[in-house]
Amino acid sequence: MTEPREAETETPEDDFRLNRQEQEAINRAVDDGDGPALDALLEPMHAADIADLIEQLTPARRREFLHLYSGEIDGEILSEIDESIRDEVVEQLPRDVLAEAVREMDSDDVVDLIEDMTPPEQQEILAALDDSDRAAVERSLTYPEYSAGRLMQSEVVTAPEHWTVGETIDFLRAEEWLPDQFYHVILVDPRRHPTAYVTLGKLLASRRDTPLRDITEDSFRPISVLAEEGDVAYAFNKYHLISAPVVDEDDRLVGVITIDDAMSVLDEEHEEDFLRMARVSDESHVSDGPFQTARQRLPWLVANLFTASLSALVISRFESTLTQLVILAALMPIVASTGGIAGTQSLAVAVRALATRELTSANARRVILRELAAGMLNGLGLAAILFLAGSLILGAPMIGAVLGMAMIANQIVAATGGVLVPLGLSRLGLDPALASGTFVTTMTDMMGFFAFLGLASWILI
Amino acid sequence: MTEPREAETETPEDDFRLNRQEQEAINRAVDDGDGPALDALLEPMHAADIADLIEQLTPARRREFLHLYSGEIDGEILSEIDESIRDEVVEQLPRDVLAEAVREMDSDDVVDLIEDMTPPEQQEILAALDDSDRAAVERSLTYPEYSAGRLMQSEVVTAPEHWTVGETIDFLRAEEWLPDQFYHVILVDPRRHPTAYVTLGKLLASRRDTPLRDITEDSFRPISVLAEEGDVAYAFNKYHLISAPVVDEDDRLVGVITIDDAMSVLDEEHEEDFLRMARVSDESHVSDGPFQTARQRLPWLVANLFTASLSALVISRFESTLTQLVILAALMPIVASTGGIAGTQSLAVAVRALATRELTSANARRVILRELAAGMLNGLGLAAILFLAGSLILGAPMIGAVLGMAMIANQIVAATGGVLVPLGLSRLGLDPALASGTFVTTMTDMMGFFAFLGLASWILI
């Protein structure tokens, strides 16, 4: 085997994205009010890239852009535009363009577009749809937010269970309307209960007289219309599903979820967890202005003023100790901050493991004990370093010893707190990613200062 | 419209997972060495669930399990087993079972299985494959790790450009071997350059005499075999791809990547970012023991000892100030820790935006200024609270004013540092998620202590 080469970070995908020159040409066309130039520049672009472009324009230029380009905004572009600016775009589109765009969209994209609108705004868009599409969208909206019912599209390709491959192909050829993308033909019984599915690959590769029943897939797995979208994405990823039928409470087929929608949900859930762990609202966008940004972040900062005041209170109990040995003030953040890092590490592992269902009631006890032991081990290691540093650098072995002992205590608190807090929140039905960090670092800060100053006043003073 | 109901958190997917009773029955069968009972219990389970089960067993019971069940381990289960225990499982499988399992796997799964093995181990597994499969796997291994070449499967369904729908269907019916899952027929020219693709849905819905050329898709987008897998996953998610042809340096078709593989990569990349931000190795697993866990986390904790020592150094410059006004020691962590939170917030938003290509050189300047302004705004808000608290609770308005001024300075440092550090790392070609946190919190800690104690010694003493 030859030596592997390096993976390229410049990918062919970059060819489809805007370089700076193109970006400037587009800005110029917008500023000059030159509609035909703009159309020509955007003509080769993918709808997703046009949507990105619209998001990245400054608000003033975006208005001008929409004024020039609105006639070209179709269903595909509209469904790609990020929620943060979608209302703004929808408001500026001429009503006929909007109606036409909405008619082109699959029912799940229409639901996604209008679910956060007010009822009058919803009605205006629904009015543009055919009766059957409108009924499908309205039905989806009766299901809870973040449920499979909101995620599914109602456009489904079905066949009676007793059909053969040939009958199915003839039906598909005769059918005027088919979804843009579909991957299975779903077999339904006379009461419209889905019973199995057949991949299009098997349909194409089998003889015309083959009964559909003989070529169904093991992976068939109907999803309840009330299932939570995060669980749906998890199932798609875990079981390598490509599409799955959605059934109502009577087990009747009401729609289908495809993997691209599941992939978007997976992506969003990850992003949400990532931002929540850092105490940022998952409503944050790069396009937000400074006021919006400041407002989203302030609540957590104010919360931290309060939790930090608890630490200040702990420290203030040791004022006389600090007066006698002021170097303690310089050293005390070491114990607290290293505890904070350890708590965050333990917390991150636990939050991920809860999200991937790897941490369950079956192994929680083992994981807690593992964290306890790991915290003790790292505490011992860090304590050894601190004792040496205290002896050799500060020339004060007893201070090193106190630092070390406080560190052991705080590492144990950090490691076990980092798993107990998210487990507790999750048992209460709360999102473990949301507030765990605040709890855990408050614990490690208070414990860090208390253990260090407490031991110091007992041993050193 | 009726009132939306609540999304269920108990999903039908849970039906496929083990409840505690089943788990105990399995443990009992393993402990009793009862192979037939074990087979009966696992018979209805999905390969992915059996793999999960194997991961969650204790190491001792896992050995016993593999001893009893190894005959049943097939390619599907083997490809689902997590890397962390895969070597252990492979070692314990009888050679004939392993060979049979590997023969069933798609080439991309074989690559994934053997890429981290030693060459002799690789050779042993490669020897079990047919010549053509072995050649495909060996070729994949010549491509860099984390490249499209490693991710792709070489099993591809192609058709000459001039074929009709009927010719293609006849070919598919006659072909003995087809991949388990495929979603497109790729059109190739006589030199095997892919030129377009056709969805199976369109093939099925079109008349037999339709030329393939007339029903090709706009979404066609070949991927370079050297493209980085993260970029591939990004493109799949962004452009809603379902499969994409992979081409070598001469633009010749060498394989295909399907969305389920892209979804796994997306999931892994997110997990990696999430854990790295919390300073945890992405090699961490819930099944790790305490020693492994401690060792993975210790380096970052030791690094924090050093950075915290820098803060200690800053504080120690103000010993005389602290001796004169010891309450400063209690208050100083408030400024530092609130700065740490703000830095992490700004950092998380920037790291996400870099990962999603929303933060680019085109808008970096705007985002930096936005952060600067947001930091100033939140600094002012927090300063107002601190001034009031200082006046009303401590009865020391000047201390409140010093706290507030230090907070403003530190919030600005935090917000701008949080975006500048990851931007800088990313420009150096480094992963912004990896070390940013350490840089930013070191900055906010040092700035927090320095600004507060510096202003205090200047104004209060």
Side-chain angles (χ1 to χ4, degrees):
Chain A
M1 283 169 219
T2 61
E3 193 56 22
R5 282 150 283 172
E6 291 241 318
E8 279 176 8
T9 48
E10 287 291 309
T11 71
E13 284 73 65
D14 289 331
D15 299 347
F16 296 86
R17 314 190 66 234
L18 289 179
N19 61 36
R20 196 178 286 217
Q21 247 171 338
E22 290 165 322
Q23 177 82 58
E24 277 164 16
I26 289 170
N27 288 350
R28 212 163 31 238
V30 173
D31 296 342
D32 298 349
D34 187 348
L38 190 62
D39 288 356
L41 283 162
L42 299 188
E43 205 280 340
M45 283 175 66
H46 189 284
D49 290 314
I50 296 178
D52 274 3
L53 170 74
I54 297 175
E55 282 159 36
Q56 281 168 18
L57 293 173
T58 58
R61 199 175 266 143
R62 183 151 60 228
R63 259 189 304 280
E64 193 50 38
F65 177 96
L66 288 171
H67 176 68
L68 287 169
Y69 192 69
S70 62
E72 305 290 324
I73 303 259
D74 59 13
E76 226 180 318
I77 298 175
L78 198 58
S79 34
E80 295 290 345
I81 286 180
D82 194 83
E83 278 176 55
S84 57
I85 59 157
R86 203 190 264 157
D87 286 354
E88 186 188 330
V89 173
V90 166
E91 266 169 40
Q92 284 179 69
L93 289 186
R95 296 301 93 176
D96 57 324
V97 172
L98 182 61
E100 182 57 36
V102 169
R103 266 195 295 274
E104 287 167 11
M105 290 160 72
D106 280 335
S107 67
D108 54 337
D109 292 325
V110 178
V111 169
D112 189 42
L113 178 72
I114 71 173
E115 60 185 353
D116 296 325
M117 293 182 174
T118 62
E121 289 169 339
Q122 288 184 344
Q123 283 312 322
E124 191 191 331
I125 288 187
L126 286 170
L129 298 176
D130 299 335
D131 288 349
S132 70
D133 289 344
R134 183 167 53 240
V137 171
E138 284 178 343
R139 185 164 60 170
S140 265
L141 287 174
T142 65
Y143 298 115
E145 265 200 283
Y146 311 116
S147 69
R150 293 278 181 110
L151 199 61
M152 69 184 185
Q153 57 185 63
S154 52
E155 294 86 355
V156 196
V157 180
T158 60
E161 296 170 285
H162 56 81
W163 274 13
T164 62
V165 167
E167 285 172 300
T168 311
I169 294 182
D170 293 342
F171 159 75
L172 292 172
R173 288 210 182 115
E175 181 68 35
E176 298 222 341
W177 170 90
L178 284 174
D180 279 349
Q181 299 276 345
F182 68 107
Y183 313 104
H184 292 107
V185 172
I186 300 172
L187 275 55
V188 289
D189 72 11
R191 303 183 52 198
R192 215 174 155 73
H193 297 158
T195 57
Y197 61 23
V198 169
T199 65
L200 303 189
K202 284 265 173 66
L203 266 185
L204 281 163
S206 303
R207 291 165 45 104
R208 284 186 60 90
D209 56 6
T210 312
L212 292 183
R213 276 209 190 90
D214 292 358
I215 53 170
T216 60
E217 298 288 310
D218 282 347
S219 61
F220 181 73
R221 190 175 285 264
I223 287 176
S224 156
V225 75
L226 293 179
E228 208 268 315
E229 63 172 20
D231 293 328
V232 174
Y234 171 78
F236 267 79
N237 191 25
K238 174 158 184 183
Y239 300 114
H240 307 284
L241 306 180
I242 197 82
S243 81
V246 179
V247 293
D248 65 13
E249 291 92 332
D250 303 322
D251 267 338
R252 243 180 284 263
L253 183 67
V254 289
V256 67
I257 293 176
T258 52
I259 187 173
D260 54 322
D261 295 319
M263 193 174 184
S264 300
V265 170
L266 185 83
D267 192 46
E268 282 162 24
E269 297 249 317
H270 270 299
E271 171 139 350
E272 200 177 276
D273 278 358
F274 183 88
L275 293 175
R276 283 185 173 180
M277 274 287 280
R279 295 165 228 193
V280 183
S281 151
D282 44 78
E283 301 290 303
S284 306
H285 299 280
V286 167
S287 56
D288 292 341
F291 284 95
Q292 234 171 329
T293 302
R295 205 180 47 225
Q296 282 158 358
R297 298 185 192 167
L298 190 60
W300 288 107
L301 297 172
V302 172
N304 191 67
L305 283 190
F306 285 99
T307 60
S309 304
L310 296 178
S311 296
L313 213 63
V314 170
I315 298 167
S316 68
R317 310 301 293 173
F318 296 96
E319 273 192 16
S320 72
T321 309
L322 286 166
T323 319
Q324 289 173 63
L325 202 57
V326 74
I327 192 176
L328 298 180
L331 298 175
M332 65 186 188
I334 296 178
V335 180
S337 79
T338 313
I341 305 283
T344 308
Q345 290 177 325
S346 167
L347 179 60
V349 172
V351 167
R352 273 315 295 151
L354 282 168
T356 57
R357 283 76 160 165
E358 287 174 284
L359 178 54
T360 59
S361 50
N363 62 357
R365 204 170 144 267
R366 199 178 64 71
V367 174
I368 294 166
L369 290 175
R370 193 268 309 263
E371 291 293 335
L372 180 71
M376 215 173 321
L377 286 168
N378 276 343
L380 286 169
L382 295 167
I385 297 175
L386 287 170
F387 178 70
L388 281 176
S391 310
L392 302 176
I393 301 173
L394 297 181
M398 285 313 287
I399 290 185
V402 166
L403 272 174
M405 284 185 281
M407 185 63 93
I408 295 172
N410 205 21
Q411 286 292 312
I412 294 174
V413 167
T416 49
V419 59
L420 286 173
V421 169
L423 267 175
L425 286 173
S426 138
R427 239 174 243 178
L428 293 174
L430 300 171
D431 178 357
L434 190 55
S436 298
T438 302
F439 282 119
V440 173
T441 49
T442 304
M443 279 165 61
T444 53
D445 273 351
M446 292 178 66
M447 183 65 193
F449 293 124
F450 176 75
F452 178 59
L453 295 175
L455 286 167
S457 37
W458 182 44
I459 296 175
L460 299 177
I461 306 292
Chain B
M1 283 172 219
T2 61
E3 194 57 23
R5 280 151 284 173
E6 292 240 320
E8 278 176 9
T9 49
E10 286 292 310
T11 71
E13 284 73 64
D14 289 331
D15 299 345
F16 295 86
R17 312 190 66 234
L18 290 179
N19 61 37
R20 196 177 286 218
Q21 246 171 341
E22 290 165 321
Q23 177 83 56
E24 277 164 16
I26 290 169
N27 288 350
R28 214 166 26 240
V30 173
D31 296 343
D32 297 350
D34 187 349
L38 190 61
D39 289 356
L41 283 162
L42 299 189
E43 205 279 312
M45 285 176 64
H46 189 284
D49 290 315
I50 296 178
D52 274 4
L53 170 73
I54 297 175
E55 283 159 35
Q56 283 169 14
L57 293 173
T58 59
R61 198 175 268 142
R62 182 150 63 226
R63 260 189 304 281
E64 193 50 37
F65 177 95
L66 289 171
H67 176 67
L68 286 169
Y69 191 69
S70 62
E72 305 290 325
I73 303 260
D74 58 14
E76 226 181 318
I77 297 175
L78 198 57
S79 32
E80 296 289 348
I81 286 179
D82 194 83
E83 280 176 55
S84 58
I85 60 157
R86 204 191 263 158
D87 286 355
E88 186 189 327
V89 172
V90 166
E91 266 169 41
Q92 285 180 67
L93 288 186
R95 297 300 95 177
D96 57 323
V97 172
L98 181 60
E100 182 55 36
V102 169
R103 266 195 296 273
E104 286 167 12
M105 291 161 72
D106 280 335
S107 66
D108 55 336
D109 293 325
V110 179
V111 169
D112 189 43
L113 178 70
I114 71 173
E115 60 185 352
D116 295 324
M117 293 182 175
T118 62
E121 289 170 339
Q122 288 185 343
Q123 284 310 323
E124 193 192 329
I125 287 187
L126 287 170
L129 297 176
D130 299 335
D131 287 349
S132 70
D133 289 343
R134 183 167 52 244
V137 171
E138 284 179 342
R139 185 165 60 171
S140 264
L141 287 173
T142 65
Y143 297 115
E145 265 200 282
Y146 311 116
S147 68
R150 293 278 181 110
L151 198 61
M152 70 184 185
Q153 57 186 63
S154 53
E155 295 86 355
V156 196
V157 180
T158 59
E161 297 170 286
H162 56 79
W163 275 14
T164 62
V165 166
E167 285 172 298
T168 311
I169 293 181
D170 293 342
F171 159 75
L172 292 173
R173 287 211 181 116
E175 181 69 36
E176 299 224 334
W177 170 90
L178 284 174
D180 280 349
Q181 299 276 345
F182 68 106
Y183 313 105
H184 292 106
V185 172
I186 300 172
L187 275 55
V188 290
D189 71 11
R191 304 183 51 199
R192 218 175 153 73
H193 297 159
T195 56
Y197 61 23
V198 170
T199 65
L200 303 189
K202 284 266 172 66
L203 266 185
L204 281 163
S206 303
R207 290 164 45 105
R208 285 185 61 90
D209 55 6
T210 312
L212 292 183
R213 275 209 191 90
D214 292 357
I215 52 170
T216 60
E217 297 289 309
D218 282 347
S219 62
F220 181 73
R221 189 175 286 262
I223 287 176
S224 157
V225 76
L226 294 179
E228 208 267 315
E229 62 173 21
D231 293 328
V232 174
Y234 171 78
F236 267 80
N237 191 25
K238 174 159 184 182
Y239 300 115
H240 307 285
L241 306 180
I242 197 81
S243 83
V246 179
V247 294
D248 65 13
E249 291 92 331
D250 304 321
D251 267 338
R252 245 181 282 264
L253 183 68
V254 288
V256 67
I257 292 177
T258 52
I259 188 174
D260 54 324
D261 295 319
M263 192 175 184
S264 299
V265 170
L266 185 83
D267 191 45
E268 283 163 23
E269 297 249 318
H270 270 297
E271 170 138 350
E272 201 177 277
D273 277 357
F274 182 88
L275 292 175
R276 283 184 173 180
M277 274 289 279
R279 296 166 228 195
V280 183
S281 151
D282 44 79
E283 302 290 303
S284 305
H285 298 282
V286 167
S287 55
D288 293 341
F291 285 95
Q292 236 171 328
T293 301
R295 205 179 48 226
Q296 283 159 357
R297 299 185 192 167
L298 190 60
W300 288 107
L301 297 172
V302 172
N304 192 68
L305 282 191
F306 286 99
T307 59
S309 303
L310 296 177
S311 297
L313 213 64
V314 170
I315 299 167
S316 68
R317 309 301 292 172
F318 296 97
E319 273 193 17
S320 71
T321 310
L322 286 166
T323 319
Q324 289 174 63
L325 202 56
V326 75
I327 192 174
L328 299 180
L331 297 174
M332 66 188 185
I334 295 178
V335 180
S337 78
T338 312
I341 306 283
T344 309
Q345 290 176 325
S346 167
L347 179 60
V349 172
V351 167
R352 273 315 296 153
L354 282 167
T356 56
R357 282 77 162 165
E358 286 173 287
L359 176 55
T360 60
S361 50
N363 62 357
R365 203 169 146 268
R366 198 178 65 73
V367 174
I368 294 167
L369 290 175
R370 192 266 311 258
E371 290 293 335
L372 180 72
M376 217 172 322
L377 286 168
N378 277 343
L380 286 168
L382 295 168
I385 297 174
L386 287 170
F387 178 71
L388 282 176
S391 309
L392 302 178
I393 301 175
L394 297 180
M398 284 313 285
I399 291 185
V402 166
L403 271 173
M405 283 186 281
M407 185 64 93
I408 294 171
N410 206 21
Q411 286 292 313
I412 293 173
V413 167
T416 49
V419 60
L420 286 173
V421 169
L423 267 175
L425 287 173
S426 134
R427 237 171 246 183
L428 294 173
L430 300 171
D431 178 356
L434 192 54
S436 298
T438 302
F439 281 119
V440 172
T441 50
T442 304
M443 279 165 62
T444 53
D445 273 351
M446 291 177 68
M447 183 64 191
F449 294 124
F450 176 77
F452 178 60
L453 295 175
L455 285 168
S457 38
W458 182 45
I459 295 175
L460 300 178
I461 306 288

